Amino acid sequence: MADRKKTNRKNDNRSHGKSGDQKPALKAEVHKPFRPRDFLKSLGPGLITGASDDDPSGIGTYSQAGAQLGYGIGWTMLLTFPLMAAIQEISARVGRVTGHGISGNVCRHYPSWLLSGVVALLFIANTINIAADLGAMADATKLLIGGHGIVYVVLFGVTSVAAQIFLDYKRYVAVLKWLTLSLFAYVGALAFARISWGEALTGVLVPRITWSGDYFTTIVAIFGTTISPYLFFWQASQEAEDQRVDVTKQPLIDKHYGAQKEFHRIRADTIVGMAFSNLIALSIIVTAAATLHAAGKTDIQTSAQAAEALKPIAGAFAEIIFALGIVGTGLLAIPVLAGATAYAVGEGGRWPVGLGRKPKEAAAFYAVLALSAAIGIALNFTAINPISALYWSAVVNGVLAVPVMVLLMIMSRRKDVLGRFVIGGPLYWLGWLSTAAMLLSVLAMAVGFFV
């Protein structure tokens, strides 16, 4: 308790003490010509969020959607891009303005029962997602080298947690980003697969809606894997942590200077990250539609079946490329999933949090992270189908995203939370449109099962 109070006093002193003379900062603000290298360096939480969005759950869901519904489901990627970019930018702004993640703001401005509900929903969704991702990673590895899947589940789970706790996270992520490049195989496959580009373009621009429970379940799964609750919490908390570890920064609600520059950075970071995510997602859908759906394979049950979508470009190496993509994105996504859970619980309890802290400085934070991963590992000891689990974890994320998004949008207009930086204008209404789209898809799914 004493350590926590000491930490809180230190943070409060940073947030509410003197910000120093602003004149040196003014002198430092020299206009510099645009350089791509500097722009790439400025990308951070948004880019990582976008990369982790194409996790094994995403790959499985997009492959299943393309195989089941063909080109006609491509319109969801065009629709979700502005919606997911808006809700992620709002999440990032909350973190940068307040210096706290979503859970940290809920515990300061809302009743405890609401905080408990939000954290419980996130814990459930993330743990199920971790379990599904680990199962798919194990299944893909077994496809290549054989062995027992449960051994790989434990190996990947323990390795991910140990790396988060004991390694420098920035270096860890830098290495994993290279593994995600295997996902560009789906982009390359577009040049080799026999794609009906007219149908593909029509599928992107013209929605084809079938009023059935199965169709809207797929829509919810796609929405749930592109607009996931853990992404909101992760990006907000990472903005807050980046501010905390950078001695030159303070929460914008305390130090207004430079706010617009920060908002421009956040917007560019988020748009690039979400564009990367949706490019890969659309490529997976179109490739699966041109290969699996065209061949009449509309129900993917195994990693081997999903890997067949890459055969036009990879041939005999399709299974290797697919496995590397699943394992690489899984190793990136599991830390984000477990980390988002730990941030939510830790900020809600006002504990010292952050992957930039040493284990002894944030023992409870890392304990929650390990617990979430451990439950995810344990769930794989049940009889679950890895590919089906990926799909249904996306459905769960879609359903649970609705209440979290409503809370986030209400929070974004509260002056006692964001001060002069409350969200307004097109971004605000786009955020509500994203929330409404998610809600309508969930309601349509429910109604579809009874029609």
Side-chain angles (χ1 to χ4, degrees):
M1 180 65 72
D3 291 340
R4 187 187 304 175
K5 290 181 178 178
K6 183 177 180 181
T7 302
N8 288 340
R9 285 197 299 270
K10 182 179 178 181
N11 290 338
D12 288 340
N13 287 340
R14 279 196 57 196
S15 300
H16 303 292
K18 293 182 179 180
S19 59
D21 190 356
Q22 292 185 353
K23 291 183 178 180
L26 287 170
K27 291 180 180 178
E29 290 292 321
V30 179
H31 177 71
K32 296 180 180 179
F34 174 80
R35 292 190 301 177
R37 184 177 179 181
D38 293 337
F39 175 72
L40 292 175
K41 285 184 177 181
S42 71
L43 301 178
L47 180 60
I48 295 174
T49 300
S52 65
D53 193 24
D54 287 319
D55 65 345
S57 176
I59 296 173
T61 299
Y62 301 136
S63 297
Q64 185 74 275
Q68 180 181 357
L69 301 172
Y71 299 117
I73 201 65
W75 62 271
T76 56
M77 291 299 100
L78 186 63
L79 174 64
T80 57
F81 172 64
L83 301 184
M84 67 192 294
I87 204 73
Q88 289 301 142
E89 182 179 340
I90 291 170
S91 302
R93 284 198 183 197
V94 168
R96 183 64 186 90
V97 170
T98 65
H100 304 292
I102 294 173
S103 184
N105 281 291
V106 172
C107 80
R108 288 167 171 79
H109 302 283
Y110 292 89
S112 58
W113 63 265
L114 184 59
L115 172 67
S116 299
V118 169
V119 172
L121 289 176
L122 186 73
F123 192 97
I124 293 170
N126 287 7
T127 302
I128 293 174
N129 209 335
I130 289 172
D133 283 358
L134 286 173
M137 293 162 68
D139 194 48
T141 304
K142 188 169 66 173
L143 176 68
L144 291 183
I145 60 178
H148 296 285
I150 198 64
V151 174
Y152 299 132
V153 166
V154 175
L155 177 63
F156 286 131
V158 172
T159 299
S160 296
V161 172
Q164 282 183 278
I165 296 176
F166 299 110
L167 299 182
D168 180 83
Y169 184 69
K170 289 185 177 180
R171 292 182 181 179
Y172 176 57
V173 171
V175 172
L176 294 179
K177 282 180 180 179
W178 289 101
L179 289 176
T180 64
L181 292 178
S182 60
L183 289 174
F184 278 104
Y186 284 98
V187 179
L190 297 177
F192 293 86
R194 294 182 178 178
I195 297 170
S196 174
W197 289 106
E199 289 185 45
L201 184 60
T202 301
V204 171
L205 300 177
V206 182
R208 301 177 190 176
I209 299 176
T210 303
W211 291 96
S212 69
D214 290 340
Y215 180 86
F216 282 106
T217 299
T218 300
I219 296 297
V220 172
I222 291 174
F223 277 35
T225 199
T226 53
I227 308 175
S228 300
Y230 78 90
L231 300 176
F232 316 153
F233 283 81
W234 172 260
Q235 192 165 353
S237 295
Q238 284 298 286
E239 284 290 344
E241 175 149 341
D242 284 354
Q243 172 266 306
R244 179 182 63 80
V245 299
D246 189 339
V247 296
T248 66
K249 292 183 178 180
Q250 293 184 26
L252 294 177
I253 198 170
D254 296 323
K255 183 181 178 182
H256 306 320
Y257 177 74
Q260 290 306 313
K261 181 179 179 181
E262 285 293 280
F263 292 156
H264 290 154
R265 174 191 60 79
I266 288 172
R267 176 162 295 178
D269 185 23
T270 302
I271 289 176
V272 170
M274 300 308 110
F276 170 80
S277 173
N278 275 33
L279 172 63
I280 300 299
L282 182 59
S283 299
I284 294 173
I285 289 174
V286 172
T287 302
T291 53
L292 302 176
H293 183 79
K297 299 177 180 179
T298 60
D299 187 19
I300 300 175
Q301 295 293 334
T302 67
S303 292
Q305 291 174 338
E308 288 183 21
L310 285 172
K311 283 191 174 179
I313 182 175
F317 296 100
E319 292 178 350
I320 296 176
I321 297 297
F322 176 81
L324 288 176
I326 288 286
V327 173
T329 57
L331 288 173
L332 179 61
I334 289 173
V336 174
L337 286 159
T341 304
Y343 275 116
V345 176
E347 289 177 350
R350 301 198 182 193
W351 305 338
V353 300
L355 294 170
R357 296 182 188 271
K358 300 295 183 183
K360 63 181 180 180
E361 298 173 337
F365 168 81
Y366 284 109
V368 173
L369 187 152
L371 177 63
S372 180
I375 296 176
I377 293 173
L379 288 176
N380 278 277
F381 283 85
T382 61
I384 61 174
N385 180 291
I387 296 297
S388 295
L390 293 177
Y391 178 81
W392 286 104
S393 69
V395 175
V396 170
N397 269 311
V399 173
L400 297 184
V402 175
V404 177
M405 293 171 75
V406 170
L407 174 62
L408 179 62
M409 292 309 303
I410 294 174
M411 183 189 298
S412 71
R413 290 294 291 176
R414 290 187 55 164
K415 288 189 175 182
D416 58 335
V417 178
L418 297 175
R420 67 169 69 180
F421 299 113
V422 292
I423 308 297
L427 179 62
Y428 175 72
W429 293 112
L430 199 54
W432 271 118
L433 182 60
S434 178
T435 306
M438 185 70 79
L439 175 61
L440 287 175
S441 67
V442 172
L443 293 177
M445 176 185 70
V447 172
F449 281 114
F450 297 100
V451 175

Short mmCIF file of all heavy atoms in Angstrom, two decimals, residues 65-103:
data_model
loop_
_atom_site.label_atom_id
_atom_site.label_comp_id
_atom_site.label_asym_id
_atom_site.label_seq_id
_atom_site.Cartn_x
_atom_site.Cartn_y
_atom_site.Cartn_z
N ALA A 65 -15.39 -16.60 -43.69
CA ALA A 65 -16.37 -15.72 -44.35
C ALA A 65 -16.22 -15.79 -45.86
O ALA A 65 -17.20 -15.88 -46.60
CB ALA A 65 -16.21 -14.29 -43.86
N GLY A 66 -14.98 -15.73 -46.36
CA GLY A 66 -14.75 -15.79 -47.79
C GLY A 66 -15.14 -17.13 -48.38
O GLY A 66 -15.70 -17.21 -49.47
N ALA A 67 -14.84 -18.21 -47.64
CA ALA A 67 -15.19 -19.55 -48.10
C ALA A 67 -16.70 -19.75 -48.10
O ALA A 67 -17.27 -20.35 -49.02
CB ALA A 67 -14.52 -20.60 -47.23
N GLN A 68 -17.37 -19.24 -47.09
CA GLN A 68 -18.80 -19.46 -46.94
C GLN A 68 -19.64 -18.57 -47.86
O GLN A 68 -20.60 -19.03 -48.49
CB GLN A 68 -19.21 -19.21 -45.49
CG GLN A 68 -20.69 -19.43 -45.19
CD GLN A 68 -21.03 -19.13 -43.74
OE1 GLN A 68 -20.16 -18.82 -42.94
NE2 GLN A 68 -22.29 -19.22 -43.40
N LEU A 69 -19.27 -17.28 -47.95
CA LEU A 69 -20.12 -16.31 -48.65
C LEU A 69 -19.51 -15.75 -49.93
O LEU A 69 -20.17 -15.00 -50.64
CB LEU A 69 -20.46 -15.16 -47.69
CG LEU A 69 -21.20 -15.58 -46.40
CD1 LEU A 69 -21.32 -14.41 -45.46
CD2 LEU A 69 -22.57 -16.16 -46.74
N GLY A 70 -18.27 -16.09 -50.20
CA GLY A 70 -17.64 -15.65 -51.44
C GLY A 70 -17.36 -14.15 -51.48
O GLY A 70 -17.20 -13.49 -50.44
N TYR A 71 -17.32 -13.60 -52.69
CA TYR A 71 -16.99 -12.19 -52.87
C TYR A 71 -18.04 -11.27 -52.24
O TYR A 71 -17.75 -10.12 -51.91
CB TYR A 71 -16.90 -11.85 -54.36
CG TYR A 71 -15.84 -12.60 -55.11
CD1 TYR A 71 -16.18 -13.47 -56.16
CD2 TYR A 71 -14.49 -12.44 -54.82
CE1 TYR A 71 -15.22 -14.15 -56.88
CE2 TYR A 71 -13.51 -13.12 -55.52
CZ TYR A 71 -13.89 -13.98 -56.55
OH TYR A 71 -12.93 -14.66 -57.25
N GLY A 72 -19.24 -11.76 -52.07
CA GLY A 72 -20.35 -10.91 -51.64
C GLY A 72 -20.22 -10.33 -50.25
O GLY A 72 -21.00 -9.45 -49.88
N ILE A 73 -19.23 -10.78 -49.48
CA ILE A 73 -19.06 -10.27 -48.12
C ILE A 73 -17.97 -9.20 -48.05
O ILE A 73 -17.71 -8.61 -47.00
CB ILE A 73 -18.71 -11.44 -47.15
CG1 ILE A 73 -19.02 -11.07 -45.70
CG2 ILE A 73 -17.25 -11.86 -47.32
CD1 ILE A 73 -20.48 -10.86 -45.41
N GLY A 74 -17.35 -8.89 -49.19
CA GLY A 74 -16.26 -7.91 -49.20
C GLY A 74 -16.67 -6.51 -48.76
O GLY A 74 -15.84 -5.73 -48.27
N TRP A 75 -17.95 -6.17 -48.91
CA TRP A 75 -18.41 -4.82 -48.54
C TRP A 75 -18.19 -4.51 -47.07
O TRP A 75 -18.10 -3.33 -46.69
CB TRP A 75 -19.90 -4.67 -48.88
CG TRP A 75 -20.81 -5.61 -48.14
CD1 TRP A 75 -21.18 -6.85 -48.51
CD2 TRP A 75 -21.45 -5.36 -46.87
NE1 TRP A 75 -22.01 -7.41 -47.58
CE2 TRP A 75 -22.21 -6.52 -46.56
CE3 TRP A 75 -21.46 -4.29 -45.98
CZ2 TRP A 75 -22.95 -6.63 -45.39
CZ3 TRP A 75 -22.20 -4.39 -44.81
CH2 TRP A 75 -22.94 -5.55 -44.52
N THR A 76 -18.09 -5.53 -46.24
CA THR A 76 -17.91 -5.28 -44.80
C THR A 76 -16.58 -4.60 -44.52
O THR A 76 -16.46 -3.84 -43.56
CB THR A 76 -17.98 -6.60 -44.02
OG1 THR A 76 -17.02 -7.53 -44.55
CG2 THR A 76 -19.38 -7.21 -44.11
N MET A 77 -15.56 -4.85 -45.35
CA MET A 77 -14.26 -4.23 -45.13
C MET A 77 -14.30 -2.74 -45.45
O MET A 77 -13.66 -1.93 -44.76
CB MET A 77 -13.20 -4.93 -45.98
CG MET A 77 -12.89 -6.35 -45.53
SD MET A 77 -12.25 -6.44 -43.84
CE MET A 77 -13.71 -6.91 -42.92
N LEU A 78 -15.05 -2.38 -46.50
CA LEU A 78 -15.18 -0.97 -46.84
C LEU A 78 -15.96 -0.24 -45.76
O LEU A 78 -15.65 0.90 -45.40
CB LEU A 78 -15.89 -0.83 -48.19
CG LEU A 78 -15.99 0.58 -48.78
CD1 LEU A 78 -14.60 1.13 -49.07
CD2 LEU A 78 -16.84 0.57 -50.04
N LEU A 79 -16.97 -0.90 -45.20
CA LEU A 79 -17.78 -0.29 -44.15
C LEU A 79 -17.04 -0.17 -42.83
O LEU A 79 -17.09 0.88 -42.18
CB LEU A 79 -19.06 -1.12 -43.95
CG LEU A 79 -19.97 -0.68 -42.79
CD1 LEU A 79 -20.53 0.71 -43.03
CD2 LEU A 79 -21.10 -1.69 -42.60
N THR A 80 -16.33 -1.21 -42.45
CA THR A 80 -15.71 -1.22 -41.13
C THR A 80 -14.49 -0.31 -41.02
O THR A 80 -14.15 0.13 -39.92
CB THR A 80 -15.29 -2.64 -40.72
OG1 THR A 80 -14.41 -3.19 -41.71
CG2 THR A 80 -16.51 -3.53 -40.54
N PHE A 81 -13.84 0.01 -42.16
CA PHE A 81 -12.62 0.83 -42.07
C PHE A 81 -12.86 2.18 -41.39
O PHE A 81 -12.19 2.50 -40.39
CB PHE A 81 -11.99 1.02 -43.44
CG PHE A 81 -10.85 2.00 -43.44
CD1 PHE A 81 -9.69 1.74 -42.73
CD2 PHE A 81 -10.95 3.20 -44.13
CE1 PHE A 81 -8.65 2.65 -42.70
CE2 PHE A 81 -9.91 4.11 -44.12
CZ PHE A 81 -8.76 3.84 -43.40
N PRO A 82 -13.78 3.03 -41.88
CA PRO A 82 -13.98 4.31 -41.19
C PRO A 82 -14.55 4.13 -39.78
O PRO A 82 -14.25 4.93 -38.89
CB PRO A 82 -14.96 5.06 -42.09
CG PRO A 82 -15.68 4.00 -42.86
CD PRO A 82 -14.68 2.91 -43.06
N LEU A 83 -15.36 3.09 -39.59
CA LEU A 83 -15.97 2.88 -38.27
C LEU A 83 -14.93 2.48 -37.24
O LEU A 83 -14.91 3.01 -36.12
CB LEU A 83 -17.06 1.79 -38.37
CG LEU A 83 -18.21 2.07 -39.35
CD1 LEU A 83 -19.25 0.96 -39.26
CD2 LEU A 83 -18.86 3.42 -39.07
N MET A 84 -14.06 1.54 -37.60
CA MET A 84 -13.04 1.10 -36.65
C MET A 84 -11.99 2.19 -36.44
O MET A 84 -11.48 2.37 -35.32
CB MET A 84 -12.38 -0.19 -37.12
CG MET A 84 -11.55 -0.07 -38.38
SD MET A 84 -11.05 -1.66 -39.11
CE MET A 84 -9.96 -2.31 -37.85
N ALA A 85 -11.66 2.96 -37.49
CA ALA A 85 -10.70 4.05 -37.34
C ALA A 85 -11.23 5.11 -36.38
O ALA A 85 -10.49 5.64 -35.55
CB ALA A 85 -10.40 4.67 -38.70
N ALA A 86 -12.53 5.40 -36.47
CA ALA A 86 -13.13 6.42 -35.59
C ALA A 86 -13.13 5.98 -34.14
O ALA A 86 -12.70 6.73 -33.25
CB ALA A 86 -14.57 6.71 -36.05
N ILE A 87 -13.58 4.75 -33.87
CA ILE A 87 -13.68 4.31 -32.48
C ILE A 87 -12.29 4.13 -31.86
O ILE A 87 -12.08 4.38 -30.68
CB ILE A 87 -14.51 3.01 -32.39
CG1 ILE A 87 -15.13 2.87 -30.98
CG2 ILE A 87 -13.72 1.79 -32.75
CD1 ILE A 87 -16.26 3.82 -30.71
N GLN A 88 -11.30 3.73 -32.68
CA GLN A 88 -9.94 3.60 -32.16
C GLN A 88 -9.31 4.97 -31.90
O GLN A 88 -8.58 5.15 -30.92
CB GLN A 88 -9.08 2.80 -33.14
CG GLN A 88 -9.40 1.32 -33.21
CD GLN A 88 -9.26 0.61 -31.89
OE1 GLN A 88 -10.04 -0.26 -31.56
NE2 GLN A 88 -8.26 0.97 -31.12
N GLU A 89 -9.60 5.94 -32.76
CA GLU A 89 -9.06 7.29 -32.53
C GLU A 89 -9.65 7.89 -31.26
O GLU A 89 -8.95 8.54 -30.47
CB GLU A 89 -9.35 8.20 -33.72
CG GLU A 89 -8.77 9.60 -33.54
CD GLU A 89 -9.01 10.52 -34.72
OE1 GLU A 89 -9.28 10.03 -35.83
OE2 GLU A 89 -8.92 11.76 -34.53
N ILE A 90 -10.94 7.68 -31.04
CA ILE A 90 -11.58 8.17 -29.82
C ILE A 90 -10.94 7.53 -28.59
O ILE A 90 -10.64 8.20 -27.60
CB ILE A 90 -13.09 7.90 -29.85
CG1 ILE A 90 -13.75 8.78 -30.92
CG2 ILE A 90 -13.74 8.15 -28.49
CD1 ILE A 90 -15.20 8.43 -31.20
N SER A 91 -10.69 6.22 -28.65
CA SER A 91 -10.05 5.52 -27.54
C SER A 91 -8.66 6.09 -27.27
O SER A 91 -8.29 6.33 -26.11
CB SER A 91 -9.93 4.02 -27.86
OG SER A 91 -11.18 3.44 -28.12
N ALA A 92 -7.90 6.32 -28.34
CA ALA A 92 -6.55 6.86 -28.18
C ALA A 92 -6.57 8.26 -27.59
O ALA A 92 -5.73 8.60 -26.74
CB ALA A 92 -5.84 6.86 -29.54
N ARG A 93 -7.52 9.07 -28.02
CA ARG A 93 -7.62 10.44 -27.48
C ARG A 93 -7.92 10.42 -25.99
O ARG A 93 -7.39 11.24 -25.22
CB ARG A 93 -8.70 11.22 -28.23
CG ARG A 93 -8.29 11.68 -29.61
CD ARG A 93 -9.22 12.80 -30.07
NE ARG A 93 -8.95 13.25 -31.42
CZ ARG A 93 -9.38 14.40 -31.91
NH1 ARG A 93 -10.11 15.21 -31.17
NH2 ARG A 93 -9.11 14.75 -33.14
N VAL A 94 -8.79 9.52 -25.57
CA VAL A 94 -9.11 9.41 -24.14
C VAL A 94 -7.85 9.13 -23.35
O VAL A 94 -7.59 9.75 -22.31
CB VAL A 94 -10.16 8.31 -23.91
CG1 VAL A 94 -10.28 7.99 -22.40
CG2 VAL A 94 -11.52 8.73 -24.45
N GLY A 95 -7.03 8.20 -23.84
CA GLY A 95 -5.79 7.88 -23.14
C GLY A 95 -4.79 9.01 -23.13
O GLY A 95 -4.17 9.29 -22.09
N ARG A 96 -4.63 9.70 -24.25
CA ARG A 96 -3.63 10.77 -24.34
C ARG A 96 -4.05 12.01 -23.57
O ARG A 96 -3.22 12.68 -22.94
CB ARG A 96 -3.39 11.13 -25.82
CG ARG A 96 -2.30 12.18 -26.02
CD ARG A 96 -0.96 11.69 -25.56
NE ARG A 96 0.06 12.73 -25.62
CZ ARG A 96 0.35 13.56 -24.61
NH1 ARG A 96 -0.32 13.47 -23.46
NH2 ARG A 96 1.30 14.46 -24.76
N VAL A 97 -5.34 12.33 -23.60
CA VAL A 97 -5.81 13.54 -22.91
C VAL A 97 -5.78 13.37 -21.40
O VAL A 97 -5.34 14.25 -20.67
CB VAL A 97 -7.24 13.89 -23.37
CG1 VAL A 97 -7.84 14.99 -22.48
CG2 VAL A 97 -7.22 14.37 -24.82
N THR A 98 -6.23 12.22 -20.92
CA THR A 98 -6.39 12.03 -19.47
C THR A 98 -5.18 11.42 -18.78
O THR A 98 -5.01 11.57 -17.57
CB THR A 98 -7.60 11.14 -19.18
OG1 THR A 98 -7.35 9.81 -19.69
CG2 THR A 98 -8.86 11.69 -19.83
N GLY A 99 -4.34 10.72 -19.56
CA GLY A 99 -3.22 10.01 -18.93
C GLY A 99 -3.65 8.70 -18.31
O GLY A 99 -2.87 8.07 -17.59
N HIS A 100 -4.89 8.28 -18.58
CA HIS A 100 -5.41 7.01 -18.06
C HIS A 100 -6.10 6.27 -19.19
O HIS A 100 -6.63 6.88 -20.13
CB HIS A 100 -6.42 7.24 -16.93
CG HIS A 100 -5.89 8.06 -15.80
ND1 HIS A 100 -4.91 7.60 -14.94
CD2 HIS A 100 -6.20 9.31 -15.38
CE1 HIS A 100 -4.64 8.53 -14.03
NE2 HIS A 100 -5.41 9.59 -14.28
N GLY A 101 -6.13 4.95 -19.08
CA GLY A 101 -6.87 4.15 -20.04
C GLY A 101 -8.36 4.23 -19.77
O GLY A 101 -8.83 4.97 -18.90
N ILE A 102 -9.13 3.44 -20.51
CA ILE A 102 -10.59 3.47 -20.37
C ILE A 102 -11.01 3.05 -18.98
O ILE A 102 -11.83 3.71 -18.32
CB ILE A 102 -11.24 2.57 -21.44
CG1 ILE A 102 -10.98 3.15 -22.83
CG2 ILE A 102 -12.75 2.44 -21.19
CD1 ILE A 102 -11.45 2.26 -23.97
N SER A 103 -10.45 1.96 -18.49
CA SER A 103 -10.80 1.48 -17.16
C SER A 103 -10.40 2.48 -16.08
O SER A 103 -11.13 2.68 -15.10
CB SER A 103 -10.12 0.13 -16.90
OG SER A 103 -10.51 -0.41 -15.67
#
